[in-house]
PDB file of all heavy atoms in Angstrom:
ATOM      1  N   LYS V   1       0.821  -1.165   0.001  1.00 97.00           N
ATOM      2  CA  LYS V   1      -0.011   0.026   0.016  1.00 97.00           C
ATOM      3  C   LYS V   1       0.892   1.232  -0.014  1.00 97.00           C
ATOM      4  O   LYS V   1       1.854   1.276   0.712  1.00 97.00           O
ATOM      5  CB  LYS V   1      -0.872  -0.021   1.253  1.00 97.00           C
ATOM      6  CG  LYS V   1      -1.957   1.047   1.290  1.00 97.00           C
ATOM      7  CD  LYS V   1      -2.977   0.737   2.373  1.00 97.00           C
ATOM      8  CE  LYS V   1      -4.043   1.769   2.485  1.00 97.00           C
ATOM      9  NZ  LYS V   1      -3.613   2.996   3.179  1.00 97.00           N
ATOM     10  N   ARG V   2       0.561   2.149  -0.860  1.00 96.00           N
ATOM     11  CA  ARG V   2       1.397   3.385  -0.972  1.00 96.00           C
ATOM     12  C   ARG V   2       1.409   4.114   0.310  1.00 96.00           C
ATOM     13  O   ARG V   2       0.328   4.443   0.880  1.00 96.00           O
ATOM     14  CB  ARG V   2       0.875   4.232  -2.127  1.00 96.00           C
ATOM     15  CG  ARG V   2       1.768   5.459  -2.412  1.00 96.00           C
ATOM     16  CD  ARG V   2       1.384   6.201  -3.683  1.00 96.00           C
ATOM     17  NE  ARG V   2       1.529   5.314  -4.841  1.00 96.00           N
ATOM     18  CZ  ARG V   2       1.016   5.574  -6.020  1.00 96.00           C
ATOM     19  NH1 ARG V   2       0.289   6.657  -6.188  1.00 96.00           N
ATOM     20  NH2 ARG V   2       1.194   4.737  -7.030  1.00 96.00           N
ATOM     21  N   PRO V   3       2.622   4.492   0.875  1.00 96.00           N
ATOM     22  CA  PRO V   3       2.640   5.228   2.122  1.00 96.00           C
ATOM     23  C   PRO V   3       2.086   6.620   1.950  1.00 96.00           C
ATOM     24  O   PRO V   3       2.147   7.220   0.883  1.00 96.00           O
ATOM     25  CB  PRO V   3       4.133   5.254   2.515  1.00 96.00           C
ATOM     26  CG  PRO V   3       4.883   5.004   1.202  1.00 96.00           C
ATOM     27  CD  PRO V   3       3.954   4.146   0.306  1.00 96.00           C
ATOM     28  N   VAL V   4       1.507   7.133   3.072  1.00 94.00           N
ATOM     29  CA  VAL V   4       0.907   8.440   2.984  1.00 94.00           C
ATOM     30  C   VAL V   4       2.007   9.507   3.109  1.00 94.00           C
ATOM     31  O   VAL V   4       2.747   9.479   4.107  1.00 94.00           O
ATOM     32  CB  VAL V   4      -0.122   8.638   4.135  1.00 94.00           C
ATOM     33  CG1 VAL V   4      -0.662  10.071   4.166  1.00 94.00           C
ATOM     34  CG2 VAL V   4      -1.228   7.631   4.028  1.00 94.00           C
ATOM     35  N   LYS V   5       2.124  10.405   2.123  1.00 91.00           N
ATOM     36  CA  LYS V   5       3.054  11.520   2.195  1.00 91.00           C
ATOM     37  C   LYS V   5       2.220  12.797   2.113  1.00 91.00           C
ATOM     38  O   LYS V   5       1.470  13.066   3.076  1.00 91.00           O
ATOM     39  CB  LYS V   5       4.115  11.422   1.098  1.00 91.00           C
ATOM     40  CG  LYS V   5       5.052  10.239   1.334  1.00 91.00           C
ATOM     41  CD  LYS V   5       6.089  10.087   0.269  1.00 91.00           C
ATOM     42  CE  LYS V   5       6.990   8.859   0.484  1.00 91.00           C
ATOM     43  NZ  LYS V   5       7.753   8.484  -0.687  1.00 91.00           N
ATOM     44  N   GLU V   6       2.306  13.520   1.075  1.00 91.00           N
ATOM     45  CA  GLU V   6       1.474  14.773   0.989  1.00 91.00           C
ATOM     46  C   GLU V   6       0.026  14.385   0.813  1.00 91.00           C
ATOM     47  O   GLU V   6      -0.865  15.052   1.194  1.00 91.00           O
ATOM     48  CB  GLU V   6       1.886  15.704  -0.190  1.00 91.00           C
ATOM     49  CG  GLU V   6       3.313  16.284  -0.017  1.00 91.00           C
ATOM     50  CD  GLU V   6       4.355  15.379  -0.591  1.00 91.00           C
ATOM     51  OE1 GLU V   6       4.127  14.788  -1.680  1.00 91.00           O
ATOM     52  OE2 GLU V   6       5.391  15.188   0.114  1.00 91.00           O
ATOM     53  N   VAL V   7      -0.167  13.206   0.103  1.00 92.00           N
ATOM     54  CA  VAL V   7      -1.515  12.781  -0.273  1.00 92.00           C
ATOM     55  C   VAL V   7      -1.705  11.366   0.198  1.00 92.00           C
ATOM     56  O   VAL V   7      -0.867  10.532   0.079  1.00 92.00           O
ATOM     57  CB  VAL V   7      -1.689  12.835  -1.850  1.00 92.00           C
ATOM     58  CG1 VAL V   7      -3.092  12.394  -2.231  1.00 92.00           C
ATOM     59  CG2 VAL V   7      -1.429  14.197  -2.421  1.00 92.00           C
ATOM     60  N   ASP V   8      -2.887  11.076   0.744  1.00 95.00           N
ATOM     61  CA  ASP V   8      -3.302   9.722   1.119  1.00 95.00           C
ATOM     62  C   ASP V   8      -4.125   9.216  -0.147  1.00 95.00           C
ATOM     63  O   ASP V   8      -5.239   9.560  -0.347  1.00 95.00           O
ATOM     64  CB  ASP V   8      -4.178   9.686   2.363  1.00 95.00           C
ATOM     65  CG  ASP V   8      -4.562   8.274   2.752  1.00 95.00           C
ATOM     66  OD1 ASP V   8      -4.196   7.336   2.036  1.00 95.00           O
ATOM     67  OD2 ASP V   8      -5.209   8.132   3.824  1.00 95.00           O
ATOM     68  N   PHE V   9      -3.463   8.299  -0.878  1.00 95.00           N
ATOM     69  CA  PHE V   9      -4.117   7.747  -2.110  1.00 95.00           C
ATOM     70  C   PHE V   9      -5.070   6.585  -1.742  1.00 95.00           C
ATOM     71  O   PHE V   9      -5.713   6.082  -2.611  1.00 95.00           O
ATOM     72  CB  PHE V   9      -3.062   7.271  -3.099  1.00 95.00           C
ATOM     73  CG  PHE V   9      -2.428   8.429  -3.824  1.00 95.00           C
ATOM     74  CD1 PHE V   9      -1.145   8.930  -3.504  1.00 95.00           C
ATOM     75  CD2 PHE V   9      -3.116   8.997  -4.850  1.00 95.00           C
ATOM     76  CE1 PHE V   9      -0.645   9.959  -4.196  1.00 95.00           C
ATOM     77  CE2 PHE V   9      -2.539  10.078  -5.587  1.00 95.00           C
ATOM     78  CZ  PHE V   9      -1.288  10.583  -5.261  1.00 95.00           C
ATOM     79  N   GLY V  10      -5.096   6.220  -0.468  1.00 97.00           N
ATOM     80  CA  GLY V  10      -6.006   5.170  -0.072  1.00 97.00           C
ATOM     81  C   GLY V  10      -5.466   3.776  -0.454  1.00 97.00           C
ATOM     82  O   GLY V  10      -4.275   3.500  -0.311  1.00 97.00           O
ATOM     83  N   PHE V  11      -6.367   2.928  -1.021  1.00 98.00           N
ATOM     84  CA  PHE V  11      -6.019   1.566  -1.321  1.00 98.00           C
ATOM     85  C   PHE V  11      -5.339   1.488  -2.706  1.00 98.00           C
ATOM     86  O   PHE V  11      -5.883   0.884  -3.662  1.00 98.00           O
ATOM     87  CB  PHE V  11      -7.237   0.625  -1.249  1.00 98.00           C
ATOM     88  CG  PHE V  11      -7.779   0.511   0.149  1.00 98.00           C
ATOM     89  CD1 PHE V  11      -8.920   1.307   0.474  1.00 98.00           C
ATOM     90  CD2 PHE V  11      -7.189  -0.295   1.046  1.00 98.00           C
ATOM     91  CE1 PHE V  11      -9.400   1.226   1.783  1.00 98.00           C
ATOM     92  CE2 PHE V  11      -7.685  -0.341   2.342  1.00 98.00           C
ATOM     93  CZ  PHE V  11      -8.801   0.345   2.732  1.00 98.00           C
ATOM     94  N   VAL V  12      -4.166   2.108  -2.785  1.00 97.00           N
ATOM     95  CA  VAL V  12      -3.383   2.115  -4.017  1.00 97.00           C
ATOM     96  C   VAL V  12      -2.109   1.299  -3.730  1.00 97.00           C
ATOM     97  O   VAL V  12      -1.431   1.527  -2.712  1.00 97.00           O
ATOM     98  CB  VAL V  12      -3.054   3.575  -4.464  1.00 97.00           C
ATOM     99  CG1 VAL V  12      -2.007   3.556  -5.581  1.00 97.00           C
ATOM    100  CG2 VAL V  12      -4.362   4.228  -4.981  1.00 97.00           C
ATOM    101  N   GLY V  13      -1.724   0.466  -4.721  1.00 97.00           N
ATOM    102  CA  GLY V  13      -0.546  -0.407  -4.455  1.00 97.00           C
ATOM    103  C   GLY V  13       0.632  -0.076  -5.342  1.00 97.00           C
ATOM    104  O   GLY V  13       0.431   0.297  -6.513  1.00 97.00           O
ATOM    105  N   ASP V  14       1.850  -0.168  -4.833  1.00 96.00           N
ATOM    106  CA  ASP V  14       3.077  -0.077  -5.618  1.00 96.00           C
ATOM    107  C   ASP V  14       3.659  -1.456  -5.703  1.00 96.00           C
ATOM    108  O   ASP V  14       3.844  -2.143  -4.701  1.00 96.00           O
ATOM    109  CB  ASP V  14       4.069   0.921  -4.969  1.00 96.00           C
ATOM    110  CG  ASP V  14       3.495   2.335  -5.001  1.00 96.00           C
ATOM    111  OD1 ASP V  14       2.958   2.752  -5.977  1.00 96.00           O
ATOM    112  OD2 ASP V  14       3.606   2.997  -3.916  1.00 96.00           O
ATOM    113  N   VAL V  15       3.957  -1.918  -6.907  1.00 97.00           N
ATOM    114  CA  VAL V  15       4.347  -3.310  -7.186  1.00 97.00           C
ATOM    115  C   VAL V  15       5.678  -3.600  -6.461  1.00 97.00           C
ATOM    116  O   VAL V  15       6.654  -2.881  -6.550  1.00 97.00           O
ATOM    117  CB  VAL V  15       4.468  -3.627  -8.688  1.00 97.00           C
ATOM    118  CG1 VAL V  15       4.961  -5.051  -8.910  1.00 97.00           C
ATOM    119  CG2 VAL V  15       3.118  -3.421  -9.370  1.00 97.00           C
ATOM    120  N   LYS V  16       5.631  -4.769  -5.705  1.00 98.00           N
ATOM    121  CA  LYS V  16       6.815  -5.185  -4.979  1.00 98.00           C
ATOM    122  C   LYS V  16       7.455  -6.410  -5.619  1.00 98.00           C
ATOM    123  O   LYS V  16       8.647  -6.602  -5.659  1.00 98.00           O
ATOM    124  CB  LYS V  16       6.289  -5.512  -3.565  1.00 98.00           C
ATOM    125  CG  LYS V  16       7.362  -5.392  -2.474  1.00 98.00           C
ATOM    126  CD  LYS V  16       6.749  -5.459  -1.047  1.00 98.00           C
ATOM    127  CE  LYS V  16       6.153  -6.808  -0.767  1.00 98.00           C
ATOM    128  NZ  LYS V  16       5.631  -6.919   0.633  1.00 98.00           N
ATOM    129  N   GLN V  17       6.559  -7.324  -6.141  1.00 98.00           N
ATOM    130  CA  GLN V  17       7.101  -8.598  -6.628  1.00 98.00           C
ATOM    131  C   GLN V  17       6.142  -9.217  -7.661  1.00 98.00           C
ATOM    132  O   GLN V  17       4.959  -9.151  -7.535  1.00 98.00           O
ATOM    133  CB  GLN V  17       7.097  -9.422  -5.364  1.00 98.00           C
ATOM    134  CG  GLN V  17       7.679 -10.841  -5.447  1.00 98.00           C
ATOM    135  CD  GLN V  17       7.511 -11.459  -4.016  1.00 98.00           C
ATOM    136  OE1 GLN V  17       7.742 -10.774  -3.018  1.00 98.00           O
ATOM    137  NE2 GLN V  17       7.172 -12.727  -3.937  1.00 98.00           N
ATOM    138  N   VAL V  18       6.790  -9.790  -8.687  1.00 98.00           N
ATOM    139  CA  VAL V  18       6.022 -10.455  -9.743  1.00 98.00           C
ATOM    140  C   VAL V  18       6.442 -11.921  -9.780  1.00 98.00           C
ATOM    141  O   VAL V  18       7.620 -12.286  -9.862  1.00 98.00           O
ATOM    142  CB  VAL V  18       6.340  -9.826 -11.149  1.00 98.00           C
ATOM    143  CG1 VAL V  18       5.707 -10.638 -12.288  1.00 98.00           C
ATOM    144  CG2 VAL V  18       5.768  -8.372 -11.218  1.00 98.00           C
ATOM    145  N   ALA V  19       5.451 -12.821  -9.693  1.00 98.00           N
ATOM    146  CA  ALA V  19       5.700 -14.275  -9.676  1.00 98.00           C
ATOM    147  C   ALA V  19       5.851 -14.794 -11.068  1.00 98.00           C
ATOM    148  O   ALA V  19       4.931 -15.353 -11.674  1.00 98.00           O
ATOM    149  CB  ALA V  19       4.595 -14.954  -8.900  1.00 98.00           C
ATOM    150  N   HIS V  20       7.030 -14.515 -11.685  1.00 98.00           N
ATOM    151  CA  HIS V  20       7.182 -14.818 -13.136  1.00 98.00           C
ATOM    152  C   HIS V  20       7.030 -16.331 -13.408  1.00 98.00           C
ATOM    153  O   HIS V  20       6.516 -16.675 -14.465  1.00 98.00           O
ATOM    154  CB  HIS V  20       8.534 -14.308 -13.640  1.00 98.00           C
ATOM    155  CG  HIS V  20       9.750 -14.839 -12.948  1.00 98.00           C
ATOM    156  ND1 HIS V  20      10.190 -14.349 -11.743  1.00 98.00           N
ATOM    157  CD2 HIS V  20      10.623 -15.839 -13.270  1.00 98.00           C
ATOM    158  CE1 HIS V  20      11.272 -15.016 -11.392  1.00 98.00           C
ATOM    159  NE2 HIS V  20      11.512 -15.925 -12.270  1.00 98.00           N
ATOM    160  N   GLN V  21       7.420 -17.190 -12.532  1.00 98.00           N
ATOM    161  CA  GLN V  21       7.282 -18.658 -12.728  1.00 98.00           C
ATOM    162  C   GLN V  21       5.813 -19.057 -12.764  1.00 98.00           C
ATOM    163  O   GLN V  21       5.432 -19.857 -13.621  1.00 98.00           O
ATOM    164  CB  GLN V  21       8.023 -19.425 -11.671  1.00 98.00           C
ATOM    165  CG  GLN V  21       9.514 -19.278 -11.578  1.00 98.00           C
ATOM    166  CD  GLN V  21      10.196 -19.928 -12.823  1.00 98.00           C
ATOM    167  OE1 GLN V  21       9.602 -20.395 -13.749  1.00 98.00           O
ATOM    168  NE2 GLN V  21      11.533 -19.880 -12.817  1.00 98.00           N
ATOM    169  N   SER V  22       4.974 -18.451 -11.905  1.00 98.00           N
ATOM    170  CA  SER V  22       3.551 -18.796 -11.943  1.00 98.00           C
ATOM    171  C   SER V  22       2.887 -18.327 -13.213  1.00 98.00           C
ATOM    172  O   SER V  22       2.142 -19.060 -13.868  1.00 98.00           O
ATOM    173  CB  SER V  22       2.828 -18.144 -10.730  1.00 98.00           C
ATOM    174  OG  SER V  22       3.388 -18.620  -9.512  1.00 98.00           O
ATOM    175  N   ILE V  23       3.229 -17.105 -13.621  1.00 98.00           N
ATOM    176  CA  ILE V  23       2.659 -16.573 -14.861  1.00 98.00           C
ATOM    177  C   ILE V  23       3.150 -17.422 -16.047  1.00 98.00           C
ATOM    178  O   ILE V  23       2.348 -17.754 -16.980  1.00 98.00           O
ATOM    179  CB  ILE V  23       3.143 -15.083 -15.055  1.00 98.00           C
ATOM    180  CG1 ILE V  23       2.513 -14.217 -13.957  1.00 98.00           C
ATOM    181  CG2 ILE V  23       2.639 -14.553 -16.444  1.00 98.00           C
ATOM    182  CD1 ILE V  23       3.122 -12.807 -13.881  1.00 98.00           C
ATOM    183  N   ASN V  24       4.359 -17.897 -15.985  1.00 98.00           N
ATOM    184  CA  ASN V  24       4.935 -18.689 -17.057  1.00 98.00           C
ATOM    185  C   ASN V  24       4.249 -20.034 -17.111  1.00 98.00           C
ATOM    186  O   ASN V  24       4.081 -20.625 -18.191  1.00 98.00           O
ATOM    187  CB  ASN V  24       6.460 -18.862 -16.920  1.00 98.00           C
ATOM    188  CG  ASN V  24       7.105 -19.480 -18.154  1.00 98.00           C
ATOM    189  OD1 ASN V  24       6.776 -19.082 -19.263  1.00 98.00           O
ATOM    190  ND2 ASN V  24       7.938 -20.507 -17.906  1.00 98.00           N
ATOM    191  N   THR V  25       3.814 -20.589 -16.004  1.00 98.00           N
ATOM    192  CA  THR V  25       3.079 -21.837 -16.012  1.00 98.00           C
ATOM    193  C   THR V  25       1.793 -21.757 -16.847  1.00 98.00           C
ATOM    194  O   THR V  25       1.509 -22.655 -17.646  1.00 98.00           O
ATOM    195  CB  THR V  25       2.697 -22.284 -14.522  1.00 98.00           C
ATOM    196  OG1 THR V  25       3.869 -22.405 -13.732  1.00 98.00           O
ATOM    197  CG2 THR V  25       1.916 -23.577 -14.492  1.00 98.00           C
ATOM    198  N   LEU V  26       1.143 -20.627 -16.735  1.00 98.00           N
ATOM    199  CA  LEU V  26      -0.039 -20.349 -17.578  1.00 98.00           C
ATOM    200  C   LEU V  26       0.334 -20.242 -19.073  1.00 98.00           C
ATOM    201  O   LEU V  26      -0.368 -20.784 -19.962  1.00 98.00           O
ATOM    202  CB  LEU V  26      -0.809 -19.105 -17.082  1.00 98.00           C
ATOM    203  CG  LEU V  26      -1.322 -19.078 -15.657  1.00 98.00           C
ATOM    204  CD1 LEU V  26      -1.793 -17.709 -15.264  1.00 98.00           C
ATOM    205  CD2 LEU V  26      -2.442 -20.102 -15.543  1.00 98.00           C
ATOM    206  N   ILE V  27       1.410 -19.464 -19.307  1.00 98.00           N
ATOM    207  CA  ILE V  27       1.837 -19.251 -20.691  1.00 98.00           C
ATOM    208  C   ILE V  27       2.231 -20.607 -21.372  1.00 98.00           C
ATOM    209  O   ILE V  27       1.890 -20.928 -22.465  1.00 98.00           O
ATOM    210  CB  ILE V  27       3.026 -18.229 -20.756  1.00 98.00           C
ATOM    211  CG1 ILE V  27       2.466 -16.844 -20.415  1.00 98.00           C
ATOM    212  CG2 ILE V  27       3.645 -18.215 -22.168  1.00 98.00           C
ATOM    213  CD1 ILE V  27       3.560 -15.812 -20.214  1.00 98.00           C
ATOM    214  N   GLN V  28       2.960 -21.424 -20.557  1.00 98.00           N
ATOM    215  CA  GLN V  28       3.429 -22.754 -21.090  1.00 98.00           C
ATOM    216  C   GLN V  28       2.262 -23.687 -21.353  1.00 98.00           C
ATOM    217  O   GLN V  28       2.360 -24.613 -22.151  1.00 98.00           O
ATOM    218  CB  GLN V  28       4.476 -23.346 -20.150  1.00 98.00           C
ATOM    219  CG  GLN V  28       5.787 -22.663 -20.140  1.00 98.00           C
ATOM    220  CD  GLN V  28       6.459 -22.588 -21.504  1.00 98.00           C
ATOM    221  OE1 GLN V  28       6.483 -23.564 -22.272  1.00 98.00           O
ATOM    222  NE2 GLN V  28       7.047 -21.446 -21.875  1.00 98.00           N
ATOM    223  N   ALA V  29       1.138 -23.428 -20.652  1.00 98.00           N
ATOM    224  CA  ALA V  29      -0.063 -24.216 -20.888  1.00 98.00           C
ATOM    225  C   ALA V  29      -0.917 -23.677 -22.049  1.00 98.00           C
ATOM    226  O   ALA V  29      -2.066 -24.068 -22.207  1.00 98.00           O
ATOM    227  CB  ALA V  29      -0.894 -24.275 -19.579  1.00 98.00           C
ATOM    228  N   ASN V  30      -0.343 -22.707 -22.757  1.00 97.00           N
ATOM    229  CA  ASN V  30      -0.938 -22.046 -23.908  1.00 97.00           C
ATOM    230  C   ASN V  30      -2.136 -21.167 -23.537  1.00 97.00           C
ATOM    231  O   ASN V  30      -3.087 -20.995 -24.364  1.00 97.00           O
ATOM    232  CB  ASN V  30      -1.347 -23.085 -24.996  1.00 97.00           C
ATOM    233  CG  ASN V  30      -0.110 -23.624 -25.664  1.00 97.00           C
ATOM    234  OD1 ASN V  30       0.835 -22.888 -25.970  1.00 97.00           O
ATOM    235  ND2 ASN V  30      -0.123 -24.903 -25.907  1.00 97.00           N
ATOM    236  N   PHE V  31      -2.180 -20.632 -22.325  1.00 98.00           N
ATOM    237  CA  PHE V  31      -3.161 -19.635 -21.976  1.00 98.00           C
ATOM    238  C   PHE V  31      -2.520 -18.242 -22.239  1.00 98.00           C
ATOM    239  O   PHE V  31      -1.281 -18.095 -22.065  1.00 98.00           O
ATOM    240  CB  PHE V  31      -3.475 -19.686 -20.481  1.00 98.00           C
ATOM    241  CG  PHE V  31      -4.207 -20.989 -20.115  1.00 98.00           C
ATOM    242  CD1 PHE V  31      -3.781 -21.782 -19.048  1.00 98.00           C
ATOM    243  CD2 PHE V  31      -5.383 -21.392 -20.803  1.00 98.00           C
ATOM    244  CE1 PHE V  31      -4.409 -22.926 -18.685  1.00 98.00           C
ATOM    245  CE2 PHE V  31      -6.044 -22.551 -20.457  1.00 98.00           C
ATOM    246  CZ  PHE V  31      -5.573 -23.359 -19.388  1.00 98.00           C
ATOM    247  N   THR V  32      -3.359 -17.263 -22.600  1.00 98.00           N
ATOM    248  CA  THR V  32      -2.912 -15.852 -22.717  1.00 98.00           C
ATOM    249  C   THR V  32      -3.375 -15.059 -21.508  1.00 98.00           C
ATOM    250  O   THR V  32      -4.576 -14.805 -21.438  1.00 98.00           O
ATOM    251  CB  THR V  32      -3.455 -15.236 -24.040  1.00 98.00           C
ATOM    252  OG1 THR V  32      -2.918 -16.040 -25.115  1.00 98.00           O
ATOM    253  CG2 THR V  32      -3.044 -13.823 -24.151  1.00 98.00           C
ATOM    254  N   PRO V  33      -2.487 -14.735 -20.597  1.00 98.00           N
ATOM    255  CA  PRO V  33      -2.969 -13.921 -19.391  1.00 98.00           C
ATOM    256  C   PRO V  33      -3.424 -12.534 -19.762  1.00 98.00           C
ATOM    257  O   PRO V  33      -2.834 -11.843 -20.624  1.00 98.00           O
ATOM    258  CB  PRO V  33      -1.651 -13.854 -18.598  1.00 98.00           C
ATOM    259  CG  PRO V  33      -0.767 -14.937 -19.027  1.00 98.00           C
ATOM    260  CD  PRO V  33      -1.049 -15.037 -20.520  1.00 98.00           C
ATOM    261  N   VAL V  34      -4.608 -12.157 -19.200  1.00 98.00           N
ATOM    262  CA  VAL V  34      -5.139 -10.805 -19.343  1.00 98.00           C
ATOM    263  C   VAL V  34      -5.269 -10.192 -18.001  1.00 98.00           C
ATOM    264  O   VAL V  34      -6.180 -10.542 -17.161  1.00 98.00           O
ATOM    265  CB  VAL V  34      -6.505 -10.901 -20.043  1.00 98.00           C
ATOM    266  CG1 VAL V  34      -7.083  -9.469 -20.175  1.00 98.00           C
ATOM    267  CG2 VAL V  34      -6.421 -11.504 -21.437  1.00 98.00           C
ATOM    268  N   PHE V  35      -4.338  -9.277 -17.642  1.00 98.00           N
ATOM    269  CA  PHE V  35      -4.276  -8.679 -16.356  1.00 98.00           C
ATOM    270  C   PHE V  35      -5.103  -7.405 -16.318  1.00 98.00           C
ATOM    271  O   PHE V  35      -4.918  -6.510 -17.138  1.00 98.00           O
ATOM    272  CB  PHE V  35      -2.845  -8.342 -15.947  1.00 98.00           C
ATOM    273  CG  PHE V  35      -2.097  -9.498 -15.418  1.00 98.00           C
ATOM    274  CD1 PHE V  35      -1.161 -10.129 -16.246  1.00 98.00           C
ATOM    275  CD2 PHE V  35      -2.229  -9.973 -14.146  1.00 98.00           C
ATOM    276  CE1 PHE V  35      -0.458 -11.227 -15.803  1.00 98.00           C
ATOM    277  CE2 PHE V  35      -1.507 -11.083 -13.658  1.00 98.00           C
ATOM    278  CZ  PHE V  35      -0.587 -11.727 -14.515  1.00 98.00           C
ATOM    279  N   CYS V  36      -5.944  -7.202 -15.262  1.00 98.00           N
ATOM    280  CA  CYS V  36      -6.523  -5.920 -15.051  1.00 98.00           C
ATOM    281  C   CYS V  36      -5.639  -5.203 -13.959  1.00 98.00           C
ATOM    282  O   CYS V  36      -4.666  -5.794 -13.431  1.00 98.00           O
ATOM    283  CB  CYS V  36      -7.999  -6.024 -14.543  1.00 98.00           C
ATOM    284  SG  CYS V  36      -8.086  -6.758 -12.823  1.00 98.00           S
ATOM    285  N   ALA V  37      -5.978  -3.893 -13.712  1.00 97.00           N
ATOM    286  CA  ALA V  37      -5.105  -3.091 -12.938  1.00 97.00           C
ATOM    287  C   ALA V  37      -5.353  -3.199 -11.426  1.00 97.00           C
ATOM    288  O   ALA V  37      -5.541  -2.207 -10.756  1.00 97.00           O
ATOM    289  CB  ALA V  37      -5.202  -1.657 -13.396  1.00 97.00           C
ATOM    290  N   ILE V  38      -5.374  -4.461 -10.973  1.00 98.00           N
ATOM    291  CA  ILE V  38      -5.565  -4.714  -9.538  1.00 98.00           C
ATOM    292  C   ILE V  38      -4.533  -5.669  -9.057  1.00 98.00           C
ATOM    293  O   ILE V  38      -4.274  -6.701  -9.698  1.00 98.00           O
ATOM    294  CB  ILE V  38      -6.998  -5.306  -9.273  1.00 98.00           C
ATOM    295  CG1 ILE V  38      -8.100  -4.372  -9.645  1.00 98.00           C
ATOM    296  CG2 ILE V  38      -7.177  -5.761  -7.821  1.00 98.00           C
ATOM    297  CD1 ILE V  38      -9.524  -4.937  -9.571  1.00 98.00           C
ATOM    298  N   THR V  39      -3.869  -5.373  -7.895  1.00 98.00           N
ATOM    299  CA  THR V  39      -2.930  -6.298  -7.310  1.00 98.00           C
ATOM    300  C   THR V  39      -3.403  -6.564  -5.894  1.00 98.00           C
ATOM    301  O   THR V  39      -4.488  -6.226  -5.532  1.00 98.00           O
ATOM    302  CB  THR V  39      -1.505  -5.683  -7.298  1.00 98.00           C
ATOM    303  OG1 THR V  39      -1.594  -4.446  -6.508  1.00 98.00           O
ATOM    304  CG2 THR V  39      -1.018  -5.365  -8.705  1.00 98.00           C
ATOM    305  N   HIS V  40      -2.528  -7.224  -5.079  1.00 98.00           N
ATOM    306  CA  HIS V  40      -2.919  -7.527  -3.699  1.00 98.00           C
ATOM    307  C   HIS V  40      -1.673  -7.393  -2.806  1.00 98.00           C
ATOM    308  O   HIS V  40      -0.506  -7.401  -3.324  1.00 98.00           O
ATOM    309  CB  HIS V  40      -3.563  -8.866  -3.574  1.00 98.00           C
ATOM    310  CG  HIS V  40      -2.637 -10.054  -3.640  1.00 98.00           C
ATOM    311  ND1 HIS V  40      -2.660 -11.085  -2.725  1.00 98.00           N
ATOM    312  CD2 HIS V  40      -1.621 -10.378  -4.478  1.00 98.00           C
ATOM    313  CE1 HIS V  40      -1.705 -11.964  -3.025  1.00 98.00           C
ATOM    314  NE2 HIS V  40      -1.086 -11.528  -4.088  1.00 98.00           N
ATOM    315  N   ASP V  41      -1.903  -7.361  -1.494  1.00 98.00           N
ATOM    316  CA  ASP V  41      -0.719  -7.194  -0.533  1.00 98.00           C
ATOM    317  C   ASP V  41      -0.247  -8.499   0.071  1.00 98.00           C
ATOM    318  O   ASP V  41       0.610  -8.420   0.933  1.00 98.00           O
ATOM    319  CB  ASP V  41      -1.046  -6.096   0.452  1.00 98.00           C
ATOM    320  CG  ASP V  41      -2.106  -6.585   1.513  1.00 98.00           C
ATOM    321  OD1 ASP V  41      -2.700  -7.710   1.265  1.00 98.00           O
ATOM    322  OD2 ASP V  41      -2.340  -5.815   2.463  1.00 98.00           O
ATOM    323  N   GLY V  42      -0.873  -9.630  -0.294  1.00 98.00           N
ATOM    324  CA  GLY V  42      -0.493 -10.878   0.325  1.00 98.00           C
ATOM    325  C   GLY V  42      -1.180 -11.177   1.651  1.00 98.00           C
ATOM    326  O   GLY V  42      -1.081 -12.238   2.187  1.00 98.00           O
TER     327      GLY V  42
END
């Protein structure tokens, strides 16, 4: 979650980590991933 500085953006995330192996499992299974602009904090 983006830290509050001059502005509190609320529930806005800055990307920390991408699970490239998990995404690749889908690609290798011939799926085409379609990502929307939502992440999660774990």
Side-chain angles (χ1 to χ4, degrees):
K1 189 168 177 281
R2 185 170 297 165
V4 178
K5 291 180 182 164
E6 297 86 44
V7 179
D8 183 355
F9 283 100
F11 294 100
V12 167
D14 295 316
V15 177
K16 206 168 67 175
Q17 184 181 321
V18 171
H20 58 279
Q21 295 290 6
S22 299
I23 297 169
N24 192 43
T25 301
L26 297 171
I27 291 171
Q28 289 302 317
N30 289 322
F31 295 126
T32 297
V34 177
F35 280 102
C36 69
I38 297 172
T39 59
H40 76 132
D41 69 354

